[in-house]
Amino acid sequence: MNPQLSFLAALESVDFDGTEDAVALSLKERVLPIIQANATTISGNDGLINVNVTGHLPETSSSNGSHSKDGARDRIAGGTSDPEISLVPKYTIANDDQEAILTRTDPAKVSALWILALTAKYGNQTADISEFVSSANRLLDNISGAQAKLVPEHYRALLYMIAGAADALDNPNLLLRQLLNAALSFSPAHDTLSPAHALFLIQALKAKQYKLALQLLKYDVDKFDSAYALTYQDHLRFHYYGAMVLIGMKQYEKAIEYLAIVLCAPGFPCSMVQIEALKKTILLQLILYGKHSLKLPRMANDFTSHSYRAFARPYDHFAVAFENGDPTVLKLVWNQINNIFSADGNYGLGLHALTAFRKQRIQKLRKTFMTVPMKYIESNDVDILENGPSTKAFVLAMIQDGDLMAKISQKSSTSPVIVVFQDGSITSSHLDALEAKLDSVRQLNEKIAIADREVGQSREYISRKLQNTTAPGGFHGRGSGLEDLEGYDDSMSMMEL
Amino acid sequence: MGNSELGDFYFSIGDLPSASKYYSRQREYCTTHKHIEDMSMDMIRVAVYQQNWSQVETAMSRIDALPAKNGFIDPYLKAVRGLWALAQADFPLAASTFLTVPVESLLIATSTQYQHQHQHHPQSRIKPASYTIMEFLTINDVAVIIGLCTLASYSRNALKDLLDNNANFKEILESDAHIRTLLDSFVLFDYKSIFTTLDKHKSDYKLDLWLADHVEHLFDLIRENCYTQYVRGYKRGYLDKMASRFGVSQQDVEKDLIALIEADKVPIRLDLENKYFLFKSTDERADVYDHVMSIANTFERNGRLLLVNIGVLRGGLEINSKPESSGGFDSKKKALT
């Protein structure tokens, strides 16, 4: 029997009106085995576009540094010292099957087959990029996440081929929305990490499409599975690049949360991404709070946290000078180490920190004064780089940006300018924010309870718990483990491990 | 015993390091509590002369550890403890310690009586002209130390209570009238006269063996305490009036108040346009709101971290030093699922 007809015939038997998961299951059981039987096994990186992580990453938009195309200041986090992880599909489908899929099927219905077909047809370096882009566009606009999970290696390869095409055409906006769609459609709740997540953020950063990137970041990702062709680098990079997008949009608090996830990632040894994350965390803490914390979050690995510190010493020096409050010392330290910031891609963030230093000196006056003449502020104002606006313009900008709760007052054109500080009060918007926060905490609490229960019922936890409670001289329950577990004990929780 | 007498000899000729050395050698020959007490007292005496306060502290703690103490040395030890606290610039402790020194022990006649009692004690060694507070301090010195330290650290109410109810302190104060005047001025809010009196006696304080190093610090603390007491009573106060009450310029008052506000010592804010200060009222509602949001944010942050880490561990995405091979990606479901 013609193998081509047999897979098309098998397609006829799939009920495409069912749920996405049902369709995926049908494809997995009836169609994919036929296609895989005709496929050619791949050994090594034979004939496929390099699917390793490549390319350079620009700083965030807040940088004042130049972005040369060859990336003089650019730096990819995790690409220099972390081991390169190469994920290449194990097989490529037959040419006849490729053509049949691309010409006779609808990508909206058989996303998995299209993924296989596109990676097979356009995987070599001489492929027609424009044709590939057009086909990929058709696929990603209607891709099914459940079907993408059936062929995770090929899916990952396809995504990197798209990124490679964007680099080749020097157009990071290429298929950017489609990549976003691919990332969001991977799971209905948008909470599962896919190979598209980190890749989309890289491309969005290159294209400076921060608002578009925020559409992905508004969903918290807390489900991970290495079976979806993922590595630890995907997790770290997603959160690191996510933090960079948030920094670009000046959402510094959320950026610190993302960086904390990177810093607290379990495992050994530490990754270069974590070191870069620490550097940014230190600068963000200075910008937000005027001080940095010497301690990493409690969940961070003690051993790796010592490594971070060794690499981030210049940042610690800068932070100490910042907290000291002496502008002369800070200027001296800045002149000594700003080249290190620049090499790390943190020059822009460093400049923000210096601006924050100036702002915080003015904000501190609110604690001491109710009204203060502008002349007094001018006498205490410090512009480290001496290229910023005048004190009056700076204070006005702070008031307009909401960084300073104050008004400017001048009784007449000849009388001195007075800054009048105002006290905030609780309004209905505060109460709304409080309600929203309580809702969010409630939902998080429920999620934690569910995760706690799932982990508590897992095989590894139970076996470890049984080992811990073994009486001396004997082990009770080995071999009778799970089948005796009727009536799961709710008091057992992962917290007790 | 030989060590002790050698120590006495070197002490009498003024060779304090040698005296300390021989007194400390006595330690290994001490067999009773009394020996330890005597040895420690010798060490304390030499250490006070040397102003070696760490040795003073060690010797005092050795005596404190004894199960039974000689009651006659108690006032002496209190005075030495007060000197030790003064040397550490712990002025509240110095004041409270010196206040417990009985006035009788500060008078010559009583110290002689103590010596006679000491002679009749069957197990004691006779120590002529030792263990007397008069060796280091006169009653005047104690009055000055207590006066300045209480001015620097006590609130008006606490000082008033001291003056009214502490008979021992009242007797000590009789030896130095200007200290009494200072304290009365503080109670009566006459700050100008406090600073005038202090300035007048500043050179005397600087010549005092124990106070010399602390005079400037004490004066600063006294000024701070006076400012704090002054603003406490006002909801709104004018800087020019305050300046005249303190006998200083308005600019000095502004500068001092700014320093105090920045150090969180006074709960006021300044209006430099209209030249007054206003008591900082607390908005409890805003404080509660901030506190609740802070707790919620912390919970969210830690909760998210926990969820993500659980997910990472269950999904097998923890950091490891062995990258996946390029020949293929084998799914590694961990035993967690």
Side-chain angles (χ1 to χ4, degrees):
Chain A
M1 187 180 187
N2 187 343
Q4 186 179 1
L5 287 176
S6 68
F7 101 78
L8 286 173
L11 262 183
E12 298 290 326
S13 64
V14 174
D15 177 14
F16 288 102
D17 292 328
T19 63
E20 199 178 323
D21 289 337
V23 170
L25 188 62
S26 290
L27 281 175
K28 181 181 173 186
E29 286 171 352
R30 296 177 198 176
V31 180
L32 281 180
I34 299 172
I35 289 184
Q36 283 164 354
N38 293 332
T40 314
T41 308
I42 299 172
S43 55
N45 195 12
D46 181 21
L48 277 178
I49 290 175
N50 190 351
V51 299
N52 292 334
V53 175
T54 57
H56 294 286
L57 198 64
E59 297 175 36
T60 62
S61 67
S62 54
S63 161
N64 279 353
S66 62
H67 302 295
S68 57
K69 276 201 177 169
D70 62 0
R73 279 215 185 86
D74 294 349
R75 175 185 177 82
I76 186 163
T80 52
S81 299
D82 274 13
E84 279 300 328
I85 296 177
S86 182
L87 299 169
V88 177
K90 283 183 256 180
Y91 62 90
T92 184
I93 63 175
N95 287 341
D96 291 341
D97 288 343
Q98 286 171 32
E99 286 307 318
I101 291 167
L102 293 176
T103 53
R104 294 168 71 167
T105 62
D106 180 0
K109 289 183 179 172
V110 289
S111 307
L113 302 187
W114 267 68
I115 290 170
L116 292 174
L118 287 178
T119 46
K121 183 170 181 183
Y122 298 104
N124 64 65
Q125 309 244 350
T126 58
D128 183 350
I129 288 185
S130 56
E131 196 181 294
F132 164 67
V133 167
S134 165
S135 302
N137 189 7
R138 274 186 72 193
L139 168 63
L140 292 183
D141 269 340
N142 301 291
I143 192 166
S144 156
Q147 291 192 33
K149 286 174 188 167
L150 296 177
V151 285
E153 302 94 339
H154 292 84
Y155 181 51
R156 185 188 180 94
L158 176 67
L159 293 171
Y160 278 91
M161 282 159 61
I162 293 171
D167 286 344
L169 294 174
D170 198 19
N171 177 15
N173 277 297
L174 186 74
L175 296 179
L176 196 59
R177 285 196 177 275
Q178 286 74 11
L179 280 176
L180 172 65
N181 187 49
L184 288 174
S185 59
F186 199 69
S187 70
H190 315 302
D191 59 357
T192 306
L193 187 72
S194 75
H197 278 67
L199 194 63
F200 164 71
L201 287 179
I202 294 175
Q203 298 302 107
L205 279 166
K206 286 181 188 174
K208 296 193 194 317
Q209 293 273 7
Y210 300 115
K211 281 193 179 160
L212 192 66
L214 280 184
Q215 291 186 34
L216 180 63
L217 296 177
K218 68 183 180 191
Y219 302 104
D220 291 331
V221 169
D222 48 45
K223 290 192 171 53
F224 307 86
D225 197 336
S226 56
Y228 299 149
L230 293 173
T231 69
Y232 71 85
Q233 290 183 356
D234 291 295
H235 152 53
L236 294 183
R237 285 174 179 163
F238 168 68
H239 287 100
Y240 178 78
Y241 296 139
M244 287 179 70
V245 168
L246 292 165
I247 290 170
M249 296 301 289
K250 297 202 179 4
Q251 294 183 22
Y252 295 136
E253 292 199 1
K254 197 162 177 191
I256 285 186
E257 284 179 27
Y258 270 62
L259 292 172
I261 290 174
V262 175
L263 291 174
C264 293
F268 175 86
C270 75
S271 162
M272 282 302 290
V273 183
Q274 292 176 306
I275 290 165
E276 299 301 318
L278 176 69
K279 294 173 182 174
K280 285 190 162 48
T281 302
I282 291 174
L283 291 176
L284 285 176
Q285 285 175 338
L286 293 177
I287 291 170
L288 275 180
Y289 312 123
K291 57 185 176 182
H292 78 308
S293 167
L294 290 172
K295 275 188 181 178
L296 287 174
R298 199 160 45 96
M299 280 178 234
N301 184 318
D302 278 340
F303 182 86
T304 53
S305 64
H306 291 306
S307 312
Y308 305 159
R309 288 284 159 207
F311 284 99
R313 236 176 267 289
Y315 291 78
D316 272 340
H317 291 320
F318 180 76
V320 167
F322 188 105
E323 287 173 45
N324 187 28
D326 187 342
T328 320
V329 171
L330 182 61
K331 186 170 183 178
L332 197 66
V333 171
W334 171 255
N335 289 337
Q336 285 172 352
I337 65 171
N338 69 72
N339 55 330
I340 298 175
F341 282 17
S342 176
D344 288 341
N346 290 324
Y347 188 80
L349 213 49
L351 291 178
H352 270 280
L354 294 178
T355 307
F357 180 79
R358 191 180 178 190
K359 279 186 190 173
Q360 284 162 17
R361 280 174 70 90
I362 294 174
Q363 284 163 345
K364 269 186 200 155
L365 296 175
R366 201 167 157 266
K367 181 184 154 193
T368 311
F369 301 100
M370 288 158 42
T371 67
V372 62
M374 186 62 75
K375 276 200 172 18
Y376 184 90
I377 301 180
E378 280 166 10
S379 65
N380 286 304
D381 186 24
V382 165
D383 182 9
I384 300 286
L385 295 178
E386 293 164 4
N387 60 3
S390 67
T391 305
K392 188 174 175 186
F394 190 76
V395 169
L396 270 168
M398 281 178 71
I399 293 171
Q400 280 166 3
D401 291 341
D403 291 329
L404 188 67
M405 285 180 61
K407 297 273 184 229
I408 306 271
S409 163
Q410 193 176 13
K411 286 187 180 147
S412 68
S413 56
T414 51
S415 54
V417 176
I418 304 288
V419 175
V420 181
F421 294 109
Q422 295 180 321
D423 293 326
S425 58
I426 300 292
T427 62
S428 58
S429 62
H430 286 91
L431 298 176
D432 291 339
L434 188 60
E435 271 298 327
K437 182 62 68 174
L438 289 175
D439 274 337
S440 157
V441 164
R442 226 173 279 130
Q443 284 169 19
L444 183 65
N445 206 23
E446 283 167 9
K447 274 189 180 180
I448 291 174
I450 292 170
D452 187 40
R453 179 180 279 270
E454 284 173 0
V455 172
Q457 289 174 334
S458 67
R459 193 189 302 267
E460 191 192 71
Y461 174 78
I462 291 167
S463 66
R464 236 213 271 185
K465 193 76 180 168
L466 287 172
Q467 282 173 20
N468 286 347
T469 55
T470 302
F475 177 72
H476 301 290
R478 197 191 289 279
S480 67
L482 287 175
E483 52 269 33
D484 280 347
L485 211 66
E486 285 177 7
Y488 164 66
D489 181 4
D490 276 330
S491 64
M492 282 166 60
S493 105
M494 203 189 96
M495 308 303 174
E496 293 175 74
L497 255 180
Chain B
M1 287 303 165
N3 283 313
S4 167
E5 284 167 9
L6 271 173
D8 290 343
F9 165 70
Y10 281 113
F11 183 80
S12 67
I13 65 170
D15 186 353
L16 299 177
S18 302
S20 176
K21 185 174 79 179
Y22 284 106
Y23 283 138
S24 62
R25 277 187 189 174
Q26 212 178 322
R27 177 74 185 89
E28 51 196 271
Y29 303 104
C30 292
T31 53
T32 67
H33 293 315
K34 193 69 180 74
H35 292 161
I36 295 173
E37 186 183 280
D38 286 342
M39 179 213 70
S40 301
M41 291 297 286
D42 289 332
M43 298 287 300
I44 285 173
R45 188 181 55 167
V46 171
V48 170
Y49 271 107
Q50 289 181 303
Q51 297 193 29
N52 184 348
W53 302 109
S54 56
Q55 193 162 311
V56 168
E57 193 182 357
T58 310
M60 280 199 301
S61 52
R62 200 179 292 131
I63 293 180
D64 287 339
L66 295 174
K69 286 188 272 285
N70 184 349
F72 294 115
I73 61 173
D74 207 38
Y76 182 88
L77 285 177
K78 283 178 182 168
V80 169
R81 206 180 299 274
L83 283 178
W84 173 85
L86 184 64
Q88 313 307 313
D90 189 346
F91 304 120
L93 181 61
S96 57
T97 309
F98 274 115
L99 281 168
T100 59
V101 175
V103 65
E104 301 80 27
S105 60
L106 295 168
L107 300 171
I108 296 172
T110 315
S111 73
T112 311
Q113 188 180 10
Y114 167 75
Q115 189 182 338
H116 284 309
Q117 285 172 346
H118 202 59
Q119 274 178 335
H120 290 144
H121 199 285
Q123 290 178 21
S124 69
R125 288 182 286 118
I126 293 173
K127 289 287 204 183
S130 67
Y131 305 167
T132 58
I133 302 171
M134 297 292 294
E135 205 173 357
F136 307 121
L137 293 164
T138 64
I139 189 170
N140 275 57
D141 295 334
V142 173
V144 169
I145 291 173
I146 294 178
L148 294 183
C149 291
T150 50
L151 265 181
S153 52
Y154 278 38
S155 67
R156 180 188 169 268
N157 289 342
L159 197 57
K160 190 166 182 297
D161 183 58
L162 203 64
L163 286 171
D164 291 342
N165 301 326
N166 193 319
N168 189 54
F169 184 42
K170 278 197 248 187
E171 278 198 60
I172 294 174
L173 279 183
E174 281 170 15
S175 64
D176 206 321
H178 89 273
I179 295 292
R180 178 84 211 202
T181 312
L182 272 177
L183 299 181
D184 285 339
S185 302
F186 185 74
V187 171
L188 295 171
F189 307 106
D190 188 1
Y191 302 111
K192 198 168 172 181
S193 111
I194 291 175
F195 296 119
T196 312
T197 312
L198 284 174
D199 283 336
K200 197 164 124 189
H201 289 88
K202 189 173 183 178
S203 44
D204 295 334
Y205 302 148
K206 285 202 162 180
L207 288 170
D208 185 293
L209 181 62
W210 311 113
L211 277 175
D213 293 334
H214 305 291
V215 170
E216 297 296 339
H217 191 190
L218 274 168
F219 275 34
D220 290 339
L221 288 176
I222 291 171
R223 183 173 293 278
E224 270 179 30
N225 199 18
C226 291
Y227 279 130
T228 308
Q229 297 303 314
Y230 179 86
V231 303
R232 186 170 285 178
Y234 288 86
K235 185 170 178 188
R236 182 204 300 250
Y238 287 90
L239 296 179
D240 53 354
K241 281 198 180 137
M242 187 172 173
S244 71
R245 288 290 292 273
F246 280 79
V248 294
S249 68
Q250 198 172 312
Q251 285 76 19
D252 288 338
V253 165
E254 277 177 26
K255 203 170 71 166
D256 290 337
L257 281 179
I258 288 169
L260 285 174
I261 293 168
E262 285 173 359
D264 279 331
K265 288 187 178 168
V266 286
I268 59 172
R269 288 164 76 190
L270 295 177
D271 185 330
L272 288 186
E273 186 188 8
N274 300 310
K275 301 293 181 188
Y276 63 81
F277 65 83
L278 199 67
F279 185 78
K280 220 191 278 186
S281 54
T282 50
D283 183 351
E284 287 184 4
R285 205 159 164 238
D287 288 345
V288 168
Y289 174 86
D290 288 339
H291 187 59
V292 167
M293 287 299 272
S294 160
I295 292 173
N297 287 333
T298 306
F299 177 84
E300 259 195 323
R301 211 165 25 241
N302 290 338
R304 273 275 294 144
L305 274 176
L306 187 64
L307 268 181
V308 167
N309 276 5
I310 290 173
V312 164
L313 285 169
R314 294 185 73 199
L317 292 189
E318 61 268 30
I319 300 169
N320 59 66
S321 56
K322 293 179 188 167
E324 306 307 318
S325 68
S326 58
F329 180 71
D330 296 319
S331 122
K332 291 195 311 177
K333 274 210 184 286
K334 297 285 187 183
L336 277 173
T337 55

